[in-house]
Amino acid sequence: MTYLQGPEAETFARAEACDRFPVLAMPDLTYTPEVADATAPIYAKVRHVIPAIEWPAFAPMIHAINRLKAERNAVILAHNYQTPEIFHGVADIVGDSLQLAQEAAKSDAEVIVQCGVHFMAETSKLLCPDKVVLIPDARAGCSLAASIKGADVRRLREAYPGVPVVAYVNTSADVKAEVDICCTSSNAVEVVESLGAERVIFLPDQYLAKWVASQTDVEIIAWHGACEVHERFSGAELSAYREADPGLKIIAHPECPPDVLAEADFTGSTAKMIKWVADEHPEKVLMVTECSMADNVAAEAPDVEFVRPCNLCPHMKRIQLPKILDSLLFMKEEVVIDPLIAAKARRSVERMVNLKS
Ligand code: 13P
Ligand code: SF4
């Protein structure tokens, strides 16, 4: 992205800054000995996954962002798919979609910067309507969220009268407003069973729906959405890895197709996959999910060998350090939700967050 440092920066700032907050001065982004010292503990953590030659490019921005956070009374939430310089360098809270939603609800900060995709920022805004929620690039979408609209849910309700509807959080606020309850990949089975119904409409991920159906007696009616990252994996690819190395452990996200999950030693949300590695401590593991996650876990488990069939989420990768810096300087992009939609969508998210496990 173009980084504005000259007089254009001021014009840009005036056009974008949220009225309630002053625009802050552009920090010096030189890699000085002071910056090297201040960021040395962070580099010690990521040195296995970020080459030393790249650190002088990241460190000044990490240093500046961490100072600006305090000045703005801001907290940075980062999903497990963010790159290591964000995940380990500037995030205050990291996790899967459920953990980020729960932590957003608890936070005392005035400003939340969501390093993830747009539906995650919307979920934070629903749970924290009085906070300013910023997303460093509002174009960070999700193929699942794009696969369904509120009007589709209304049509499903007409086709299946009386059948409750569960929406994966990977949906827009417009869809959340039309459903009974939300779920994440961490709690999908519990949410479906909590409804006490014989049949449940589960949307929009057809593969997560199939996985949930395999774990419960509740009949699942699915939508046809798919994650563009996870649907690219195949069972044949994984069995080839396993044939080449019979000791390899394979762990997979439930957004993967059934032939992939059939090859997996464990299936779970991103947070559950991380916990599985910490608990089982495998010698060699293949994480069937977005590839930045293996980097983030590898930084903390240098003695585990990670096999990385690298599928990147192009939406998650839109979030980068210079854009996070811009977010804090210019208070952009602010997430705003129509109040009528927000009131209905909030009920579905809160019902999930308040579910006792
Ligand atoms: P998790 O809730 O497991 O982190 O998944 C979110 C997501 O977008 C996976 O593709
Ligand atoms: Fe959406 Fe898939 Fe990217 Fe997750 S990895 S944000 S489900 S496109």
Side-chain angles (χ1 to χ4, degrees):
M1 85 175 261
T2 348
Y3 206 72
L4 300 174
Q5 296 246 29
E8 320 89 284
E10 258 177 61
T11 320
F12 183 66
R14 270 199 295 276
E16 297 279 334
C18 170
D19 293 343
R20 283 168 49 206
F21 293 80
V23 173
L24 299 176
M26 176 66 71
D28 179 12
L29 294 177
T30 316
Y31 186 57
T32 59
E34 186 212 343
V35 170
D37 275 1
T39 57
I42 301 172
Y43 189 65
K45 222 169 176 187
V46 294
R47 70 185 197 285
H48 299 292
V49 289
I50 299 183
I53 197 164
E54 290 179 15
W55 192 243
F58 291 136
M61 277 184 284
I62 290 175
H63 189 54
I65 289 167
N66 285 331
R67 287 165 77 144
L68 284 168
K69 271 191 318 196
E71 226 172 305
R72 286 292 195 204
N73 186 16
V75 71
I76 294 187
L77 307 187
H79 185 260
N80 292 326
Y81 294 164
Q82 292 296 296
T83 45
E85 69 280 6
I86 295 174
F87 187 91
H88 292 290
V90 298
D92 299 290
I93 293 154
V94 294
D96 69 0
S97 308
L98 180 62
Q99 290 167 325
L100 295 182
Q102 287 166 331
E103 293 304 323
K106 283 188 227 153
S107 161
D108 291 332
E110 205 177 344
V111 177
I112 291 176
V113 181
Q114 191 89 30
C115 295
V117 291
H118 196 264
F119 75 79
M120 295 178 177
E122 269 191 346
T123 306
S124 292
K125 183 65 187 175
L126 291 172
L127 290 170
C128 312
D130 299 332
K131 295 188 199 309
V132 174
V133 176
L134 304 173
I135 180 158
D137 189 330
R139 296 168 304 167
C142 168
S143 64
L144 282 169
S147 74
I148 188 162
K149 295 199 166 17
D152 298 313
V153 184
R154 291 195 287 277
R155 275 193 289 274
L156 281 168
R157 284 207 188 270
E158 274 167 31
Y160 299 97
V163 179
V165 185
V166 176
Y168 194 25
V169 279
N170 298 39
T171 45
S172 62
D174 172 45
V175 166
K176 291 183 173 81
E178 299 292 339
V179 305
D180 295 285
I181 186 167
C182 288
C183 75
T184 71
S185 54
S186 245
N187 61 14
V189 177
E190 292 97 295
V191 168
V192 163
E193 293 188 340
S194 75
L195 297 170
E198 279 175 20
R199 288 206 298 176
V200 163
I201 298 170
F202 188 97
L203 53 89
D205 186 350
Q206 57 182 301
Y207 297 126
L208 181 61
K210 279 206 171 83
W211 180 74
V212 171
S214 74
Q215 308 289 308
T216 179
D217 292 333
V218 179
E219 185 192 336
I220 302 292
I221 300 162
W223 186 249
H224 49 68
C227 161
E228 67 187 88
V229 176
H230 291 93
E231 73 172 345
R232 292 210 305 270
F233 293 106
S234 75
E237 175 192 10
L238 298 185
S239 59
Y241 275 108
R242 210 192 282 278
E243 256 172 53
D245 186 350
L248 178 69
K249 294 291 178 194
I250 297 179
I251 62 175
H253 195 278
E255 287 172 11
C256 295
D259 64 323
V260 171
L261 300 185
E263 292 291 336
D265 298 297
F266 173 76
T267 298
S269 73
T270 57
K272 288 186 178 173
M273 291 166 90
I274 294 171
K275 184 171 180 317
W276 189 91
V277 172
D279 292 349
E280 302 294 322
H281 218 78
E283 224 167 90
K284 209 180 212 187
V285 66
L286 190 159
M287 283 186 156
V288 193
T289 193
E290 211 269 355
C291 63
S292 289
M293 194 166 102
D295 289 340
N296 293 331
V297 185
E300 280 172 342
D303 47 341
V304 175
E305 192 181 329
F306 290 84
V307 179
R308 302 165 204 224
C310 199
N311 284 359
L312 283 171
C313 172
H315 312 290
M316 288 280 178
K317 262 57 257 187
R318 282 188 184 276
I319 309 300
Q320 296 148 9
L321 287 177
K323 295 182 192 172
I324 301 172
L325 187 56
D326 276 1
S327 266
L328 286 163
L329 286 172
F330 307 130
M331 298 302 288
K332 70 190 194 75
E333 310 282 339
E334 187 173 359
V335 176
V336 181
I337 308 173
D338 176 310
L340 291 177
I341 291 177
K344 292 208 281 175
R346 184 172 303 120
R347 276 206 302 267
S348 310
V349 180
E350 281 180 346
R351 190 169 171 195
M352 168 189 80
V353 171
N354 295 334
L355 202 69
K356 297 280 169 280
S357 51

